């Protein structure tokens, strides 16, 4: 993986004490390089100091799981001289290097190194010391995990980097296969219980394709990369519209034995586009009213917009086809 290669400076497949020391110093500098711009952002009056409330928001930016106890301990530990209600950057940086938050980030990196050094079949190992819930989850996902583990090279392991293109192509192939099966099964399920394919697309298929985005956004948000979490969600939808839809159409029309035109069977497409634009405007307005911060109120309003969208979609389909359901 990228982390292992950054440590293995001589490329011999092993990490020496000297290589680890050099990496550790650089990782410390890298983490601190993220601290200074954030500190300056919260130092709105450019005084070189921040107060307790600003410190709380700053710590949340660096570590979303920070607690009030962390803030209190940080204020006490940082103070060296001057006002007890204000902290200078020098005081903050010196404290941060020795803080539990810094240790957490180093631990995450070290854990990633350990995971990359594990065997290929580590993912297939049964849970140890876990309850029945962990075993049920293990047995449920074992066929899928085994299939992917045995067919896709793990390029995170040392020496497997050259297989990255093969892994990428195989991953795309499996995604295509799984997507085809999911669409077919969702359509069969909808026909069986009397739900139109349009509604199944709005609900089951939309949720199924968005869960990976959700998980990746949660992971990077917990790492303190909130901007990456938001941009990932937006970027994935833009990719779906500008690449995911037109690329198959382009391939279809370029194929010698297929028609030159793709007919889109969507009578209400203009209504859907108008609703999409309205949703975007509403989202921007809500985020602006929340001060461009991710809050519980913002999350609740987002859910409310989604359920409102589902209600109108189901009602629209019902009036077009009163017999469904």
């Amino acid at each position: 993986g990228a982390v292992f290669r950054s440590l293995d400076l001589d490329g011999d497949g092993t990490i020496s004490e000297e290589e680890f020391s050099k990496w550790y110093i650089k990782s410390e500098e890298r983490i601190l390089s993220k601290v200074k711009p954030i500190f300056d952002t919260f130092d709105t009056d450019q005084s070189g100091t921040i107060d307790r409330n600003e410190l709380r928001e700053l710590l949340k930016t660096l570590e979303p799981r920070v607690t009030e106890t962390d803030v209190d301990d940080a204020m006490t530990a940082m103070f060296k001289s001057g006002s007890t209600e204000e902290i200078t950057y020098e005081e903050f940086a010196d404290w941060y290097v020795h803080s539990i938050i810094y240790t957490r980030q180093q631990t995450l990196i070290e854990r990633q190194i350990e995971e990359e050094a594990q065997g290929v079949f580590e993912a297939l190992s049964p849970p140890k010391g876990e309850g029945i819930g962990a075993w049920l989850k293990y047995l449920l996902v074992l066929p899928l995990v085994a299939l992917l583990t045995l067919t896709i090279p793990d390029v995170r392991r040392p020496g497997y980097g050259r297989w990255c293109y093969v892994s990428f192509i195989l991953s795309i192939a499996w995604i295509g296969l799984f997507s085809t099966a999911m669409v077919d099964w969702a359509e069969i399920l909808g026909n069986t219980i009397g739900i139109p394919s349009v509604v199944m697309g709005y609900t089951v298929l939309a949720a199924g394709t968005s869960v990976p985005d959700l998980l990746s956004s949660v992971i990077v948000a917990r790492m303190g990369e909130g901007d990456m979490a938001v941009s990932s969600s937006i970027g994935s939808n833009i990719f779906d519209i500008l690449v995911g839809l037109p690329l198959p159409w382009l391939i279809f029309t370029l194929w010698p034995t297929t028609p030159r035109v793709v007919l889109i069977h969507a009578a209400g497409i203009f209504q859907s586009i108008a609703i999409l634009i309205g949703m975007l405007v509403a989202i921007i307005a809500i985020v602006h009213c929340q001060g461009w911060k991710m809050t519980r109120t913002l999350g609740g309003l987002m859910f409310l917009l989604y359920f409102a969208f589902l209600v109108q979609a189901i009602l629209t389909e019902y009036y077009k086809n009163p017999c469904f359901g």
Side-chain angles (χ1 to χ4, degrees), residues 147-155 163-178:
L147 185 65
L148 298 179
T149 301
L150 296 174
T151 57
I152 301 178
D154 187 355
V155 297
W163 295 96
C164 60
Y165 299 108
V166 175
S167 295
F168 177 78
I169 294 173
L170 289 174
S171 298
I172 295 298
W174 277 119
I175 290 174
L177 181 61
F178 292 149

Side-chain angles (χ1 to χ4, degrees), residues 220-221 224-232:
V220 297
E225 303 292 347
D227 292 343
M228 185 185 297
V230 175
S231 60
S232 172

Side-chain angles (χ1 to χ4, degrees), residues 20-174:
F20 182 82
S21 299
K22 291 181 179 179
W23 164 82
Y24 189 88
I25 294 174
K26 289 182 179 179
S27 67
E28 179 177 315
E29 294 174 350
R30 183 174 66 252
I31 294 176
L32 284 177
S33 68
K34 295 172 57 179
V35 175
K36 178 59 175 173
I38 296 175
F39 185 94
D40 292 338
T41 300
F42 287 92
D43 181 19
T44 55
D45 58 359
Q46 303 298 314
S47 64
T49 61
I50 56 175
D51 59 27
R52 189 183 190 285
N53 292 330
E54 293 170 335
L55 176 63
R56 183 194 304 109
E57 298 302 319
L58 188 153
L59 292 177
K60 286 183 178 179
T61 303
L62 296 172
E63 172 54 68
R65 294 169 294 182
V66 71
T67 64
E68 286 298 321
T69 302
D70 292 334
V71 178
D72 293 335
D73 293 343
M75 288 291 294
T76 303
M78 288 181 196
F79 175 74
K80 292 182 178 180
S81 61
S83 173
T84 57
E85 298 298 322
E86 293 182 335
I87 300 298
T88 65
Y89 172 72
E90 289 73 18
E91 291 173 330
F92 176 79
D94 182 66
W95 165 86
Y96 182 74
V97 173
H98 303 91
S99 69
I100 185 64
I101 298 177
Y102 178 85
T103 304
R104 288 173 187 167
Q105 295 202 4
Q106 287 287 0
T107 302
L108 288 175
I109 296 176
E110 292 169 3
R111 187 182 303 165
Q112 184 179 356
I113 295 173
E114 293 177 358
E115 291 175 352
E116 292 179 359
Q118 291 174 343
V120 176
F121 298 100
E122 182 67 23
L124 302 178
S125 301
K128 300 177 182 178
E130 304 277 350
I132 188 174
W135 272 97
L136 290 175
K137 178 182 177 182
Y138 168 75
L139 295 174
L140 179 65
V141 302
L142 179 60
L144 180 60
V145 173
L147 185 65
L148 298 179
T149 301
L150 296 174
T151 57
I152 301 178
D154 187 355
V155 297
R156 297 174 300 176
R157 290 188 47 74
Y160 282 75
R162 62 182 181 274
W163 295 96
C164 60
Y165 299 108
V166 175
S167 295
F168 177 78
I169 294 173
L170 289 174
S171 298
I172 295 298
W174 277 119

